Amino acid sequence: MKRKDTTSRLWFVLACVLVGFLAGCGGMGNGGRISTDDLREQIIKLPMLYTVEAEVEVLVEGHGQDGLAEWKSFFGQRDIIVPVRANLKAGIDLTKLTDVSIEGDRVYITLPDPVIEIESTEIPWEEVVTSVTGLRDKFSAKEKEFLTRKGRIKILEEMSALDLIAPAQDHAEQIVTNFLNSLGLKPVFQRPNYSEKEIIRFVKE
């Protein structure tokens, strides 16, 4: 998989929301002994954070022996190389936060699982490479669609190789940290270790 570009961004609107939110929480403070439930309710008011974006590209190869009219292979060679591109976004949806506990001035938090979206999957048709010899037919639109689906599957299979989740967690933790510090509280974040299968499960269809 080729990762073309990755951009981490915190939307300015988040800062505005956070500032206004903190202003409304003035006086709560650590001395106010805010309850765990109240604290969680305040945190989940923060919006969904899509903080990491990436454009990726995979190459999908198709042959007469790949299930695309394979019985015709003895009539000649039939090959195609298709670049499949997609835009990915990853973030943390704080409204899904459930694991929060308070001990003194420390707040123990496990952030919700990340959310990953695959959008704008496309094929730059001008870059498709084909080689059709003998009496073989050109690749049909249906076959190209099949290869597009294979490209999406390949992106999913190689998702763990992309550095998407950690930066998204970093940004979410920074937002929550700023909020808790304003209350005189110190966050302690606990990050789970995700397997490759779990990362695929985070992809929002």
Side-chain angles (χ1 to χ4, degrees):
M1 177 185 293
K2 179 181 179 182
R3 175 172 175 165
K4 285 198 160 187
D5 179 54
T6 301
T7 304
S8 298
R9 58 178 68 168
L10 283 177
W11 296 343
F12 288 116
V13 66
L14 295 180
C16 297
V17 170
L18 185 60
V19 171
F21 175 58
L22 295 179
C25 296
M28 195 174 295
N30 187 37
R33 299 301 176 189
I34 182 174
S35 70
T36 298
D37 288 341
D38 286 343
L39 183 61
R40 176 185 167 277
E41 287 299 316
Q42 298 294 350
I43 294 174
I44 66 175
K45 290 179 181 179
L46 296 173
M48 171 72 183
L49 302 176
Y50 274 120
T51 57
V52 181
E53 295 186 23
E55 181 181 308
V56 298
E57 177 180 302
V58 296
L59 295 178
V60 179
E61 297 183 9
H63 309 282
Q65 293 76 27
D66 277 348
L68 303 175
E70 71 175 273
W71 66 271
K72 297 181 180 180
S73 60
F74 58 90
F75 285 112
Q77 188 61 40
R78 197 166 179 264
D79 301 301
I80 186 170
I81 300 177
V82 179
V84 180
R85 294 173 182 166
N87 290 323
L88 307 181
K89 297 195 303 183
I92 305 294
D93 184 358
L94 292 175
T95 65
K96 305 298 183 183
L97 180 66
T98 59
D99 193 348
V100 180
S101 62
I102 303 175
E103 295 182 13
D105 64 349
R106 295 184 180 275
V107 180
Y108 294 86
I109 298 176
T110 300
L111 292 175
D113 292 334
V115 176
I116 302 172
E117 285 195 21
I118 301 178
E119 56 179 20
S120 304
T121 303
E122 62 180 3
I123 293 177
W125 295 108
E126 70 280 1
E127 298 179 24
V128 172
V129 178
T130 60
S131 176
V132 180
T133 63
L135 301 177
R136 302 302 300 277
D137 296 326
K138 293 182 179 180
F139 285 89
S140 66
K142 183 176 182 180
E143 290 172 321
K144 290 178 180 178
E145 181 182 349
F146 170 76
L147 292 169
T148 302
R149 292 197 300 270
K150 285 185 65 176
R152 180 180 175 87
I153 292 172
K154 190 171 183 179
I155 290 173
L156 288 174
E157 291 174 344
E158 300 184 18
M159 187 75 69
S160 61
L162 296 172
D163 186 21
L164 294 174
I165 293 180
Q169 292 172 320
D170 289 341
H171 286 304
E173 288 179 2
Q174 187 59 55
I175 289 290
V176 175
T177 295
N178 291 340
F179 166 62
L180 293 178
N181 286 346
S182 74
L183 301 179
L185 299 172
K186 300 176 181 178
V188 179
F189 294 101
Q190 303 174 41
R191 291 190 182 185
N193 294 318
Y194 297 119
S195 67
E196 292 184 11
K197 290 184 178 179
E198 287 177 312
I199 293 175
I200 293 176
R201 181 172 55 84
F202 300 150
V203 177
K204 182 178 178 181
E205 298 293 340

